[in-house]
């Protein structure tokens, strides 16, 4: 998922998902006010844009995509794991359960690309989840900051995540 690859996505979408609000990266879980400006990076993870994610998906790259919003519709083949975005600490029960679950869905492959998203650049839920995945020892964590809103803006297909 390199920045110079990918299909043509409207530059306004890329600007939307990479906009810098001047918020510094944080290494701790956000505890409240989850709808607020986010940083442009997560310590230990990489930012991925719609163009890069679509390119990786179209190339058949093996990855795990995780929706922590759980709105009923999500990216194709995404797992829904809202608890992974929870406040708390890296030694709480959520972290332990999340680590076990991530090991299950990745086959304990700590290098498996994991893409985490929520709604948009004003959502801290995916930020928390990315921090939790990094804390669980995963080394290829991608934060899809633009989230479902950028995906929809690009006219890309959504799938029902439940019934």
């Amino acid at each position: 998922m390199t920045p110079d690859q990918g299909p043509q996505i409207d530059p306004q979408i890329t600007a939307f998902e990479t906009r810098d609000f001047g918020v510094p990266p944080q290494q701790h879980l956000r505890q409240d006010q989850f709808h607020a400006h986010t940083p442009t990076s997560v310590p230990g993870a990489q930012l991925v844009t719609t163009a890069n994610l679509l390119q990786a998906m179209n190339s058949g790259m093996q990855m795990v995509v995780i929706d922590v919003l759980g709105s009923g519709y999500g990216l194709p083949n995404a797992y829904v794991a809202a608890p992974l975005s929870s406040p708390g600490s890296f030694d709480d029960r959520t972290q332990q359960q999340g680590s076990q679950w991530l090991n299950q869905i990745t086959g304990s492959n700590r290098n498996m690309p994991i893409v985490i998203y929520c709604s948009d650049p004003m959502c801290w839920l995916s930020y928390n989840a990315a921090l939790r995945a990094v804390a669980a020892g995963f080394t290829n964590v991608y934060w899809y900051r633009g989230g479902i809103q950028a995906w929809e803006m690009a006219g890309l297909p959504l799938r029902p995540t439940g019934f």
Side-chain angles (χ1 to χ4, degrees):
M1 290 190 228
T2 58
D4 56 340
Q5 296 177 342
Q8 292 298 320
I9 296 292
D10 188 318
Q12 291 181 342
I13 296 170
T14 304
F16 165 78
E17 60 192 350
T18 60
R19 182 175 174 197
D20 189 349
F21 298 114
V23 178
Q26 299 180 21
Q27 295 187 357
H28 60 277
L29 297 170
R30 186 152 178 117
Q31 301 299 316
D32 57 17
Q33 298 178 339
F34 294 104
H35 182 75
H37 294 139
T38 59
T40 56
S41 64
V42 176
Q46 300 175 56
L47 183 72
V48 64
T49 63
T50 302
N52 300 137
L53 180 55
L54 186 58
Q55 170 66 29
M57 287 176 161
N58 288 343
S59 74
M61 180 178 176
Q62 187 177 6
M63 71 182 80
V64 170
V65 180
I66 301 172
D67 172 355
V68 296
L69 190 59
S71 67
Y73 285 88
L75 276 61
N77 302 316
Y79 289 91
V80 177
L84 201 57
S85 66
S86 298
S89 69
F90 297 121
D91 58 0
D92 63 12
R93 184 175 175 96
T94 300
Q95 184 67 35
Q96 293 170 340
Q97 292 174 335
S99 295
Q100 289 173 348
W101 181 76
L102 287 168
N103 278 312
Q104 286 177 330
I105 66 170
T106 62
S108 297
N109 179 355
R110 300 288 175 113
N111 296 316
M112 171 73 70
I114 298 174
V115 178
I116 301 172
Y117 73 92
C118 56
S119 63
D120 57 49
M122 294 282 293
C123 183
W124 282 83
L125 298 175
S126 55
Y127 196 94
N128 272 7
L131 285 173
R132 284 191 181 275
V134 169
F138 288 87
T139 59
N140 230 349
V141 177
Y142 291 89
W143 178 38
Y144 180 34
R145 185 175 184 243
I148 201 162
Q149 189 170 347
W151 192 261
E152 283 185 287
M153 288 167 62
L156 298 169
L158 295 173
R159 303 284 184 260
T161 57
F163 63 90

